[in-house]
């Protein structure tokens, strides 16, 4: 049941809003050093807000990693996610955001501690598949909304969110994203890890934005930098 | 009397945001450090009256700086400026001797309020 209950839509940018244009001729090659530094700090603050939101639900202190930012070719995204998450079997959900910034957030959770996680989320005893899926969608919704919402607020950008959907509940970490199903060649990837140290429990949040979105993002970051 | 301020953050953007939030009518000299070790070097040189301290930094994080300062008699005001806004982070920072905890993104108003509260700024 490797993808039991999975959303029929592929994991990737294809479902993140309107179809991305095939060419990226207007996209900058990369963000400048200043733009990257600004995004790093803004992501840091957004992730801090997401950490606080999930800590209030879990009623536990959540350790936050420093966000990692990378511009990667879509073919390398599965390897990158495996690098972030490790070898464990994982469950994953996704949530698209659109508006002044467009992309999607993936939430990837190691499957080993799902009952402990269920307990923190208020479920009793061993989780059945339906409960596990519901829990994943709830976590994706909280983390995605708080993080991307926090980033957008700082950039003065309006974003909306689609309902979260399930990628799968027992996946190899390489299989969370399938590059052949992505509509873009390059993506901006922002990753952070939320950990409850006492339970050895961690959730990874990975925001992916198609390279075409870099033009918009670069403008928003420039405006932010101008106001400093 | 001119007050010596040290802004400690690994992010150059965060340091800029903090400097911008400092009161313009405050008689200060400002120095910057990009990790805890650099902050301790400034402190040990006796040049820090008020330290604005980030928590998440490579090399030596904000909590480690607070612990080191306590061992060395904590002879300055430390205001923690943090993206991690969980109540436990605040409690831990205050427990380690910080006088205040300001959530990122900082704004001039919250910085001024904290400085006034502790009589650092009249």
């Amino acid at each position: 049941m490797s993808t039991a209950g999975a959303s029929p839509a592929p994991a990737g940018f294809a479902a993140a809003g309107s179809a991305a244009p095939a060419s990226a001729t207007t996209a900058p090659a990369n963000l400048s050093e200043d733009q990257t530094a600004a995004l790093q700090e803004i992501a840091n603050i957004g992730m801090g807000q997401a950490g606080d939101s999930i800590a209030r639900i879990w009623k536990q202190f959540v350790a936050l990693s420093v966000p990692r930012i990378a511009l990667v070719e879509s073919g390398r995204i599965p390897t990158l996610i495996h690098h972030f998450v490790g070898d464990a079997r994982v469950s994953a959900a996704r949530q698209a955001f659109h508006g002044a910034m467009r992309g999607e957030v993936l939430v990837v959770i190691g499957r080993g501690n799902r009952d402990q996680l269920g307990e923190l989320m208020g479920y009793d005893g061993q989780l059945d598949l339906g409960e596990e899926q519901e829990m994943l969608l709830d976590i994706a919704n909280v983390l995605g909304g708080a993080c991307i919402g926090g980033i957008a607020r700082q950039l003065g950008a309006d974003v909306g969110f689609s309902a979260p959907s399930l990628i799968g509940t027992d996946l190899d970490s390489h299989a969370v994203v399938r590059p052949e199903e992505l509509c873009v060649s390059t993506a901006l990837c922002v990753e952070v890890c939320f950990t409850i140290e006492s339970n050895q429990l961690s959730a990874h949040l990975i925001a992916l934005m198609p390279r075409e979105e870099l033009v918009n993002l670069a403008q928003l970051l420039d405006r932010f930098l101008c106001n400093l | 009397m001119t007050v010596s301020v040290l802004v400690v953050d690994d992010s150059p953007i965060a340091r800029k945001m903090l400097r911008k939030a400092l009161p313009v009518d405050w008689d200060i000299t400002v120095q910057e450090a990009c990790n805890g070790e650099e902050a301790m070097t400034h402190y040990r040189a006796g040049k820090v009256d008020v330290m604005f301290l980030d928590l998440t930094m490579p090399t030596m994080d904000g909590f480690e700086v607070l612990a080191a300062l306590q061992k060395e008699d904590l002879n300055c005001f430390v205001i923690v400026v943090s993206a991690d806004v969980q109540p436990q982070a605040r409690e831990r920072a205050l427990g380690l001797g910080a006088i205040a905890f300001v959530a990122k993104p900082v704004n001039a108003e919250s910085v001024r309020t904290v400085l006034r509260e502790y009589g650092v700024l009249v």
Side-chain angles (χ1 to χ4, degrees), chain A residues 11 18 26 41 52 68-69 71 74-75 80 90 104 108 119 122 128 133 138 147 154 178 195 214 219 222:
Chain A
S18 59
T26 54
E41 179 60 13
D52 186 48
R68 291 184 276 198
I69 295 176
L71 192 67
S74 60
L80 194 68
V90 298
E104 79 177 333
V108 185
E119 220 170 278
D128 64 34
Q133 292 172 352
D138 280 349
C147 171
Q154 292 173 79
R178 279 163 289 187
T195 309
L214 280 187
Q219 279 171 0
D222 282 343

Side-chain angles (χ1 to χ4, degrees), chain A residues 34 37-38 41 44-45 48 52 55 60-62 64 66 224-225 227-228, chain B residues 9 11-14 16-17 20 56 83-89 104-105:
Chain A
D34 280 353
E41 179 60 13
N44 200 27
I45 294 170
D52 186 48
Q60 295 269 341
F61 180 71
V62 177
L64 308 169
V66 175
F224 173 86
L225 285 162
N227 289 329
L228 279 186
Chain B
D9 203 303
S11 161
I13 301 296
K16 224 180 217 183
M17 288 168 84
K20 196 189 161 203
T56 315
D84 186 347
V85 291
Q86 296 175 71
Q88 292 94 329
K104 286 183 177 179

